[in-house]
Amino acid sequence: MLVYLIRRLFNVAATLLVVSVVTFGIFFAVPKLTGSDPALMYAGRETNPTALAGIRVKMGFDKPISEQYWMFLKGVFAGRDYDAGTEVTHCAAPCFGYSFKSEAPVWETMLDRMPVTLSLALGAAVIWVIAGVATGVVSALKRRTAIDRTVMIGALAGVSLPIFFTGMVAPAIFVYGLGWLDVSNYKPLTEDPLAWLNSLILPWVTLAFLFAATYARITRATMLEVLGEDYIRTARAKGLKEGVVIRKHALRSTLTPVVTMFGLDLGGLLGGAVLTETTFNFQGLGTAAVAAISQGDLPVIMGVTMLAALFVVLANLIVDLLYAVIDPRVRLT
Amino acid sequence: MTDNPSTSGGPVFVPEQAGPGSRVPATSFLSVRDLQVHFPTDDGLVKSVDGLSFDLERGKTLGIVGESGSGKSVTSLAIMGLHRTGQSRSRPHISGEVVLDGEDLVRADADHVRTLRGRKMAMVFQDPLSAMHPYYSVGKQIVEAYRTHNDVDKKTARTRAVEMLDRVGIPEPHRRVDSYPHEFSGGMRQRAMIAMALVNNPELLIADEPTTALDVTVQAQILDLIRDLQKEFGSAVIMITHDLGVVAEMADDILVMYGGRCVERGTAEKVFYEPRHPYTWGLLGSMPRIDRDQTERLIPVKGSPPSLINIPSGCAFNPRCPYADVPKGGITRTQRPELTQDDSRHWSACHMSQEERTRIWTEEIAPKL
Amino acid sequence: MIRRKQALAITAVIAALSLTAACGGDDTKKAGGDKGDKGYSGAATGVVNASDAKGGELKLWSPQDVDFLDPARAYYGFVWNMQRLFIRQLYAYDSKPGAAGTKLVPDLADGEPVLSNDGKTYTVKIKDGVKFEDGTPITSKDFKYGVERVFAQDVLAGGPTYLIDQLDQGQKYQGPYKDTDPDKMGLKSVQTPDDHTVVFNLASANSDFKYLLAMSSSSPVPAGKDTGATYTNKPVSTGPYKVESFASGKGATFVRNENWDPKTDTIRKGLPDKITFTVTTNPDDMDQRLLSGDIDLAVDGTGVQQAAKNKILKDANLKKNADNPFTGYIRYFAFPQTVAPFDNVECRKAVIYAADPKSLQNARGGPTSGDLGANMLPPGVPGADKSYDPWNLTAGKPQEDKAKAALKACGKPDGFETTIAVRNNKAPEVKSAESLQASLAKVGIKATIDQYDGKLSSSTIGSPDNVKKKNYGIIVMGWGADYNSGAGFLQPLVDGSFIAQTGNNNYTMLDDPEVNGLFDKAAAAATPDAAAPFYTDINKKIMEKALYLPINFDKALVYHNPRLTNVYFNDSMGKIDLAVVGVAK
């Protein structure tokens, strides 16, 4: 188990290293090869050649790409120094550099935006897992009834409707139409829990709707399969109440594929729920990434990409560990 | 419940034609009357069990024998009330009576039947690997069975589980109680399954093909175990199998099923030594016998079991019967042979005359076995 | 050879504008011309809800993030408007509607500058009692330091660099961070004889210099509080508000600056107690909030989205809170003379005549998106004449006969082939290109549309070599002035000394001694008013050369919360002036 964990963590590190090389290559090296100059991106718009030369030296763009990559890696693990003009500033590890655009330290920007994405993703995750699994189970238990059909049509709608559609319709109905919710912007949990909740309900529901639909369909299909298993018959033969049979025996098996999917979905979302964040105007990692890409803000792109990769890789590891917890037949070797 | 003394005479069989009023003798522990289990499907009504009756006393063993699809497993599930669980859409229509210890389980409240399951009646399934939950330890599954019907704490239940594992011959039960089904060998799993079934001292134990998935030596051990336990707990046992050999030494009575109906039943002795139905002859012929060369075996029953959808009238076995052409004194093919009592402890359903059948058995079949 | 390297790509500003620029829109004709609604476009001509009541929170939103709050680095027009809230310069545009708003009045300066040395030396006195947010008096050194920061382009990139060209004069000053002077006062061309006097020595006379002093980049910065690249996160305030918090991509909060003395400030009212700025990623949602009264103003000033536009124009109650002002931008096609056959004026004329102005206007979103273009000097700039229409474009009809005649004169009676270059991220521009393509086809000119990556415009259409290589005969663009003079608008476009190898804005590659000379004469004029006739002339010259096909004088449909007070559009920036807006009645 320990050996397994060490090996997996080593794999995580290796994966991240590869991701960092590829991202660095795409965002730093490729522009250089195609002739556009990262110093120009830093400058934001046309500036004079002397200034560009100064920027190149300051940002290290004049050095070979391998050395620039090494500086990046060193920054992440040991920190690095930048000349901020007034003085040489030390960017402490983990240093992902400073945004070309706002001069804000990338790591701090990500830390600042992470709560938004975390709130959004985790809250929605709770809703979609509960709602998705519950409707999937009900649908499976009421197979071929009106309930089943209604739920599955709803699920189809959820899978088919894009976020930016539901994200437009939902506020139109609940905020401007029925007036059940206030118009609001994201508020930090630590500042005002109620406002936080109010600001998150619609995004949660909208995002959860999309995922819940998929989960309901998977749950239903798996549940139906599991209900046909011999051990379910055994459980019933033991005289267990049907509720216990479903909860303790059928559901646990049903959850296996759900957990796998959940890990990957959540891992992906933690890197930024781009569409939802954009639609609901949440300043999370997703919108940071989009803005950074549209502005050619390389350090931010790099930082968010690495963070997203970290989340996905960690989510994978956790899913695998969880898998072993759920299913004792799985051996971590 | 125990004030219902068991009779000494073993199972009592009552003709299906028993008119209204001829009710179950109060003395039978389990009495099945005209049991019908019909599954409605898109292709038509599947009559998995179509008019089955038998009785079983405490401490006795009934072997139900038949090919797959003959309705024997459906029968056992019907007795357990397991057709009434799960999704309502796939539930079969069940009629007739299943009287256990004076209670008609077909008409009883479903939740009441549930409280009987695992306590008063328990079941051992064919493939213990798929029949035990892969995610729970063997001990947990036994504990769960125990605690469902006994208000005890987990520790007591665990002690009981260890005790049961020990009783069914699992070595090092203290350690193995925490093992998962996949960590057991096939025979051990079946022992564990039996331990789980017997944990509440059930008065009726149904074993559905308990040894099919096991190799021959283990088969014998498991059968010995069931026999020993039956003696010890005094349970009534229904042994369901496709293999007459399995029940040969265990069953007090044997019921042969074909196409959802009973074609022959009687004491084990009668069915083995004076079988009256061509299908039984076939089954006997398919028995592997240690004292015989395998190559000499009869090829028992040609063809495949009948479809249970829209069963044609007449004898269901007719298409496969080697004696279908034997004159039957004016009886048409569309007439169904009813179960008739040959003597006090022997019933069979065949259009051939009893004399003819005795002759065929003694002259043509028995010498070859 | 002044301002050689001033070629400033204001593409970002234009990007901000076009990002949300409405498109489509066909039935807005009636609504646009309807003056019956009381209040509609009222703020474009006068002050709506005049009031001096203080208090409340002004909620500003924008789908476009600010570029920088650092005065040396900000370049977006709306950020300059926001900076009116918290930083002051020596001179500033007056907070008055109409032409008065395009005039500069003393802000931190005590009176007009004194010119000497043939207009090359500007001596400015600083008002008494003006302070930074920490209570320190603002001195001449702070102005000098603020100007010096602009020179540190390696650290403080982003802002306009006009000052460098005006003030460097061969010193090659590298900015205060590399200044060897212990007090960081090494820039020779700016002198501080005493704390109340700052002297600027120009290379040559420049009647527009006051405009440069009014730009954010000329704001005073206290050297002791300068944090270099990170100064943008907390610039020191001199106005009625100070930055309480700022997060790039999210927004900012401004609170009262207790050390602002209203007696020293004739421009700002400082009415709201608090001002919040929020960046949104969803412009439609922003419009919805705006119409529901939840927020006060879309501060980017580019106007509402198509959905809200339709809603507003159909509903008299909403419409009375909306305005349709000029934004100060011109949308146009330019014809590089380096690409054949556009070296021939007749072929350029052929394109101008063949174009369908009405169809081009519709491509940009109909009449509310702007008035039909006629020439290359936008209304509001001194010397502009909106009615000057040498190619009869405001008639709104293609002139195919004239186009064919021009083709014949060009020696291409059967037409020719060329390429239209258009940014792929600006839908109205793409539609404009398609409209022109269709019109040109009718006279036999076969135009191919090349959509390039809009983010890279400075190295695609901004590179003369690339333009030639790609055979870009027609370029779609938009342009707004950095400062409100003919030079501020036209010089980067048509002054030959502004041609640059990248980031070029003189797409037509015009290097005409006569035009260049007119700019010099205008610069030498004593006042902006005196310079105006020269710009009128330049405009005529370039129009006669048929170098540009103007599409429209850009307008935006801007909605404001009716609770706002002192609402008016400042003509110098085409935006609601934040200096005076209040929220309390």
Side-chain angles (χ1 to χ4, degrees):
Chain A
M1 176 70 191
L2 190 67
V3 173
Y4 172 81
L5 208 61
I6 290 167
R7 217 186 60 229
R8 281 301 300 263
L9 286 175
F10 181 77
N11 282 347
V12 166
T15 311
L16 290 178
L17 205 67
V18 170
V19 170
S20 76
V21 170
V22 172
T23 338
F24 196 90
I26 290 173
F27 292 116
F28 283 82
V30 173
K32 206 162 192 180
L33 295 176
T34 56
S36 58
D37 186 345
L40 259 180
M41 290 185 174
Y42 174 79
R45 52 183 71 86
E46 217 53 51
T47 177
N48 64 59
T50 359
L52 277 183
I55 289 168
R56 277 190 203 104
V57 173
K58 177 190 165 199
M59 305 303 292
F61 295 146
D62 53 337
K63 302 205 171 67
I65 281 161
S66 56
E67 199 177 328
Q68 289 186 49
Y69 176 71
W70 174 245
M71 291 295 285
F72 169 80
L73 266 197
K74 197 178 147 241
V76 172
F77 291 102
R80 64 190 282 196
D81 294 328
Y82 282 98
D83 186 351
T86 43
E87 63 206 48
V88 173
T89 49
H90 179 69
C91 171
C95 173
F96 286 88
Y98 292 89
S99 160
F100 281 3
K101 199 182 143 284
S102 68
E103 300 291 350
V106 173
W107 177 245
E108 273 175 34
T109 305
M110 292 196 295
L111 283 187
D112 176 54
R113 281 164 175 268
M114 225 180 309
V116 180
T117 300
L118 278 181
S119 301
L120 183 63
L122 292 180
V126 169
I127 296 177
W128 91 58
V129 168
I130 292 175
V133 170
T135 49
V137 167
V138 168
S139 204
L141 296 181
K142 304 282 175 195
R143 185 153 73 117
R144 291 190 202 158
T145 62
I147 298 174
D148 177 29
R149 290 198 178 101
T150 315
V151 168
M152 281 304 120
I153 288 171
L156 188 66
V159 174
S160 321
L161 295 178
I163 281 273
F164 47 80
F165 177 76
T166 44
M168 284 301 281
V169 170
I173 295 173
F174 297 106
V175 178
Y176 301 104
L178 299 169
W180 289 355
L181 292 162
D182 294 336
V183 190
S184 72
N185 228 9
Y186 178 80
K187 298 275 184 329
L189 174 63
T190 44
E191 264 175 37
D192 184 349
L194 267 180
W196 175 79
L197 199 64
N198 179 56
S199 68
L200 277 162
I201 287 175
L202 275 185
W204 277 346
V205 171
T206 309
L207 184 56
F209 186 44
L210 178 75
F211 282 93
T214 318
Y215 282 63
R217 289 159 68 92
I218 296 271
T219 306
R220 178 179 181 272
T222 317
M223 190 75 176
L224 285 175
E225 197 180 302
V226 168
L227 284 174
E229 293 284 348
D230 285 355
Y231 55 78
I232 297 301
R233 190 185 57 195
T234 308
R236 287 178 176 142
K238 290 200 282 193
L240 300 184
K241 287 183 179 149
E242 190 62 15
V244 178
V245 173
I246 300 298
R247 278 198 314 277
K248 257 188 92 177
H249 292 256
L251 199 54
R252 182 155 172 197
S253 308
T254 305
L255 286 181
T256 317
V258 172
V259 163
T260 311
M261 218 168 60
F262 180 69
L264 297 180
D265 285 344
L266 191 63
L269 270 187
L270 286 177
V274 174
L275 279 178
T276 314
E277 287 178 17
T278 308
T279 308
F280 287 97
N281 185 29
F282 273 34
Q283 310 299 331
L285 291 169
T287 45
V290 169
I293 287 166
S294 70
Q295 292 157 347
D297 196 343
L298 300 180
V300 177
I301 296 174
M302 193 73 198
V304 176
T305 308
M306 291 306 298
L307 193 67
L310 176 73
F311 281 131
V312 170
V313 175
L314 280 185
N316 259 311
L317 177 59
I318 291 169
V319 162
D320 286 352
L321 294 177
L322 214 57
Y323 216 89
V325 172
I326 294 176
D327 187 345
R329 289 172 301 181
V330 173
R331 285 198 190 174
L332 302 176
T333 47
Chain B
M1 303 274 182
T2 49
D3 61 348
N4 195 4
S6 67
T7 54
S8 53
V12 175
F13 293 104
V14 180
E16 282 168 50
Q17 295 84 353
S22 92
R23 301 310 304 166
V24 195
T27 49
S28 279
F29 173 61
L30 171 68
S31 171
V32 174
R33 284 292 164 279
D34 194 21
L35 179 67
Q36 307 204 1
V37 184
H38 294 174
F39 290 87
T41 69
D42 293 341
D43 298 327
L45 197 64
V46 176
K47 297 180 176 179
S48 293
V49 178
D50 195 21
L52 184 71
S53 302
F54 63 85
D55 292 73
L56 177 63
E57 296 302 339
R58 283 192 170 83
K60 296 292 173 187
T61 300
L62 168 68
I64 299 184
V65 186
E67 293 166 302
S68 43
S70 63
K72 53 193 197 310
S73 287
V74 173
T75 304
S76 65
L77 296 178
I79 295 167
M80 293 288 289
L82 286 173
H83 288 310
R84 297 168 67 177
T85 61
Q87 293 164 45
S88 51
R89 294 294 289 239
S90 58
R91 282 181 203 166
H93 304 312
I94 300 176
S95 61
E97 289 177 352
V98 174
V99 179
L100 180 70
D101 209 2
E103 274 185 279
D104 185 355
L105 302 185
V106 174
R107 278 160 200 86
D109 175 57
D111 197 56
H112 175 65
V113 177
R114 179 187 65 76
T115 63
L116 301 179
R117 273 203 297 277
R119 178 170 60 93
K120 190 153 187 145
M121 51 188 180
M123 196 158 170
V124 174
F125 292 99
Q126 178 174 351
D127 179 2
L129 183 60
S130 65
M132 293 187 92
H133 202 296
Y135 295 178
Y136 292 102
S137 70
V138 168
K140 272 216 175 104
Q141 299 191 48
I142 299 175
V143 163
E144 184 184 43
Y146 192 57
R147 292 189 73 208
T148 302
H149 301 289
N150 297 279
D151 188 16
V152 295
D153 61 29
K154 280 184 183 166
K155 210 180 147 207
T156 316
R158 188 183 153 91
T159 312
R160 170 74 178 167
V162 172
E163 184 186 305
M164 286 309 296
L165 287 177
D166 189 36
R167 178 63 200 83
V168 297
I170 304 263
E172 294 185 89
H174 287 284
R175 198 169 61 77
R176 300 313 294 256
V177 72
D178 292 322
S179 299
Y180 289 91
H182 69 277
E183 295 169 325
F184 276 29
S185 69
M188 296 248 285
R189 267 197 293 272
Q190 194 56 283
R191 284 170 195 268
M193 187 84 201
I194 291 167
M196 186 162 81
L198 294 180
V199 72
N200 291 313
N201 292 337
E203 293 168 66
L204 171 66
L205 177 71
I206 302 178
D208 187 355
E209 306 266 13
T211 60
T212 309
L214 307 175
D215 63 56
V216 183
T217 47
V218 182
Q219 272 188 19
Q221 292 169 8
I222 295 294
L223 291 177
D224 283 348
L225 176 67
I226 293 176
R227 197 162 40 204
D228 291 352
L229 292 170
Q230 181 189 20
K231 269 185 201 142
E232 186 180 330
F233 292 97
S235 325
V237 172
I238 297 177
M239 180 76 72
I240 291 170
T241 180
H242 65 279
D243 184 356
L244 264 175
V246 168
V247 292
E249 291 179 53
M250 281 191 69
D252 297 294
D253 293 289
I254 289 173
L255 188 154
V256 181
M257 281 189 83
Y258 188 83
R261 296 172 67 87
C262 171
V263 292
E264 176 163 10
R265 65 194 186 209
T267 59
E269 200 172 298
K270 291 274 187 192
V271 173
F272 269 101
Y273 297 109
E274 298 169 42
R276 290 275 165 76
H277 196 281
Y279 179 60
T280 315
W281 299 340
L283 288 178
L284 283 168
S286 70
M287 268 177 64
R289 292 185 50 163
I290 302 161
D291 55 336
R292 297 253 183 172
D293 188 340
Q294 295 292 319
T295 53
E296 281 182 49
R297 278 176 51 196
L298 282 175
I299 294 172
V301 194
K302 285 177 183 148
S304 48
S307 157
L308 297 175
I309 301 171
N310 307 322
I311 298 173
S313 48
C315 180
F317 189 60
N318 180 281
R320 299 168 75 188
C321 184
Y323 309 100
D325 298 332
V326 174
K328 300 186 181 68
I331 293 168
T332 65
R333 283 190 180 234
T334 54
Q335 262 183 298
R336 190 159 69 177
E338 297 300 343
L339 203 60
T340 49
Q341 192 165 12
D342 300 350
D343 50 49
S344 61
R345 311 208 53 80
H346 203 171
W347 286 259
S348 60
C350 183
H351 284 316
M352 287 191 284
S353 68
Q354 196 172 311
E355 293 73 27
E356 182 69 16
R357 284 181 276 150
T358 311
R359 187 193 64 74
I360 293 172
W361 167 252
T362 48
E363 291 177 11
E364 298 179 20
I365 313 288
K368 290 185 189 164
L369 290 177
Chain C
M1 294 305 270
I2 52 164
R3 303 181 202 162
R4 167 154 288 283
K5 287 296 173 190
Q6 282 168 207
L8 298 157
I10 313 184
T11 49
V13 187
I14 296 158
L17 278 152
S18 321
L19 190 69
T20 50
C23 47
D26 3 283
D27 63 344
T28 47
K29 201 188 298 170
K30 193 186 107 202
D34 189 355
K35 301 281 183 205
D37 297 317
K38 190 172 176 283
Y40 176 58
S41 253
T45 48
V47 177
V48 173
N49 285 343
S51 165
D52 279 331
K54 292 188 175 188
E57 177 187 334
L58 175 65
K59 296 175 190 164
L60 306 175
W61 277 48
S62 168
Q64 171 81 36
D65 191 10
V66 303
D67 48 358
F68 297 99
L69 291 188
D70 187 331
R73 307 180 73 180
Y75 215 146
Y76 291 173
F78 84 92
V79 178
W80 287 352
N81 189 16
M82 281 173 62
Q83 284 177 328
R84 274 166 86 81
L85 296 167
F86 63 93
I87 44 175
R88 302 169 63 180
Q89 297 82 32
L90 289 167
Y91 299 95
Y93 293 98
D94 205 357
S95 49
K96 289 199 172 70
T102 67
K103 301 275 186 272
L104 294 172
V105 293
D107 189 356
L108 291 174
D110 192 9
E112 293 298 323
V114 177
L115 273 70
S116 55
N117 189 20
D118 293 335
K120 289 197 282 191
T121 300
Y122 279 64
T123 305
V124 185
K125 290 280 180 193
I126 298 162
K127 259 180 204 166
D128 277 333
V130 290
K131 293 168 183 165
F132 286 111
E133 65 175 77
D134 60 357
T136 332
I138 301 169
T139 71
S140 54
K141 288 193 173 58
D142 301 317
F143 282 100
K144 179 171 179 178
Y145 187 79
V147 168
E148 283 183 342
R149 291 178 84 246
V150 176
F151 285 73
Q153 280 294 310
D154 56 336
V155 178
L156 305 174
T161 54
Y162 296 98
L163 287 173
I164 299 176
D165 302 292
Q166 294 291 303
L167 298 169
D168 192 47
Q169 300 159 26
Q171 188 188 344
K172 297 232 182 302
Y173 185 64
Q174 291 296 301
Y177 311 125
K178 288 178 180 159
D179 196 336
T180 47
D181 181 84
D183 297 325
K184 310 290 176 202
M185 289 282 119
L187 181 63
K188 292 174 189 156
S189 53
V190 179
Q191 301 298 321
T192 54
D194 63 60
D195 278 359
H196 291 279
T197 313
V198 56
V199 180
F200 302 92
N201 291 299
L202 310 189
S204 57
N206 184 354
S207 59
D208 282 342
F209 189 66
K210 220 168 94 179
Y211 288 115
L212 301 185
L213 291 180
M215 292 175 111
S216 290
S217 46
S218 303
S219 308
V221 172
K225 294 280 166 66
D226 184 17
T227 52
T230 55
Y231 188 70
T232 182
N233 297 320
K234 189 94 179 66
V236 179
S237 159
T238 51
Y241 300 94
K242 58 184 177 185
V243 182
E244 185 187 63
S245 64
F246 168 62
S248 174
K250 292 171 82 175
T253 306
F254 303 94
V255 293
R256 285 196 181 281
N257 170 13
E258 299 304 332
N259 281 304
W260 171 73
D261 182 357
K263 286 198 286 291
T264 66
D265 197 333
T266 59
I267 296 164
R268 298 165 188 81
K269 283 185 189 286
L271 297 180
D273 285 338
K274 185 181 177 186
I275 297 163
T276 53
F277 168 70
T278 307
V279 181
T280 180
T281 49
N282 186 338
D284 283 306
D285 170 65
M286 179 182 74
D287 289 347
Q288 224 161 5
R289 289 168 190 252
L290 195 56
L291 298 188
S292 71
D294 181 52
I295 60 174
D296 293 317
L297 185 64
V299 74
D300 62 306
T302 56
V304 295
Q305 305 297 299
Q306 192 60 44
K309 195 172 183 176
N310 295 340
K311 215 167 166 182
I312 290 166
L313 294 174
K314 280 182 193 132
D315 184 339
N317 276 327
L318 295 174
K319 199 175 164 185
K320 68 175 196 281
N321 305 322
D323 294 279
N324 193 198
F326 285 115
T327 61
Y329 281 76
I330 292 182
R331 310 289 173 184
Y332 61 85
F333 293 100
F335 311 121
Q337 300 176 84
T338 46
V339 179
F342 290 100
D343 49 344
N344 187 324
V345 66
E346 294 298 333
C347 277
R348 302 200 291 268
K349 278 189 197 168
V351 173
I352 294 174
Y353 281 131
D356 180 349
K358 205 80 206 163
S359 157
L360 289 170
Q361 185 185 45
N362 283 336
R364 290 214 57 88
T368 50
S369 69
D371 292 352
L372 288 175
N375 59 64
M376 284 302 286
L377 206 50
V381 173
D385 177 8
K386 212 184 138 196
S387 65
Y388 170 59
D389 184 11
W391 305 111
N392 199 23
L393 295 170
T394 50
K397 287 192 185 71
Q399 305 161 68
E400 284 176 27
D401 292 346
K402 286 183 181 175
K404 282 174 182 157
L407 276 176
K408 206 171 279 172
C410 181
K412 308 251 180 200
D414 300 327
F416 54 85
E417 288 188 12
T418 190
T419 305
I420 304 177
V422 60
R423 286 182 278 189
N424 62 352
N425 55 346
K426 302 285 178 281
E429 290 187 3
V430 175
K431 286 186 179 177
S432 305
E434 285 164 353
S435 159
L436 185 65
Q437 184 185 37
S439 303
L440 292 180
K442 288 181 186 159
V443 297
I445 301 171
K446 189 172 171 293
T448 320
I449 294 176
D450 182 20
Q451 297 195 28
Y452 61 88
D453 185 346
K455 288 200 297 289
L456 303 176
S457 56
S458 66
S459 58
T460 41
I461 59 166
S463 158
D465 289 345
N466 186 57
V467 167
K468 219 171 159 178
K469 199 176 79 192
K470 293 273 180 68
N471 203 33
Y472 288 157
I474 302 172
I475 289 169
V476 195
M477 253 296 162
W479 188 250
D482 281 359
Y483 53 93
N484 204 48
S485 87
F489 187 89
L490 277 180
Q491 202 162 17
L493 297 185
V494 297
D495 187 331
S497 66
F498 276 64
I499 294 171
Q501 286 317 300
T502 56
N504 181 36
N505 292 305
N506 187 343
Y507 303 122
T508 68
M509 300 297 284
L510 179 69
D511 191 2
D512 182 74
E514 200 182 352
V515 171
N516 298 355
L518 283 170
F519 278 114
D520 291 343
K521 281 182 193 158
T527 63
D529 284 340
F534 296 110
Y535 298 127
T536 311
D537 247 20
I538 295 169
N539 189 23
K540 283 214 167 92
K541 288 270 178 302
I542 58 169
M543 285 312 293
E544 281 160 10
K545 288 178 189 293
L547 294 165
Y548 290 93
L549 164 60
I551 299 170
N552 67 9
F553 296 119
D554 204 74
K555 284 166 116 185
L557 188 70
V558 178
Y559 182 91
H560 65 267
N561 192 329
R563 75 172 183 148
L564 293 186
T565 61
N566 306 319
V567 185
Y568 88 96
F569 281 82
N570 186 297
D571 280 1
S572 74
M573 56 187 173
K575 295 187 173 60
I576 289 177
D577 192 351
L578 295 178
V580 291
V581 162
V583 290
K585 293 258 158 105

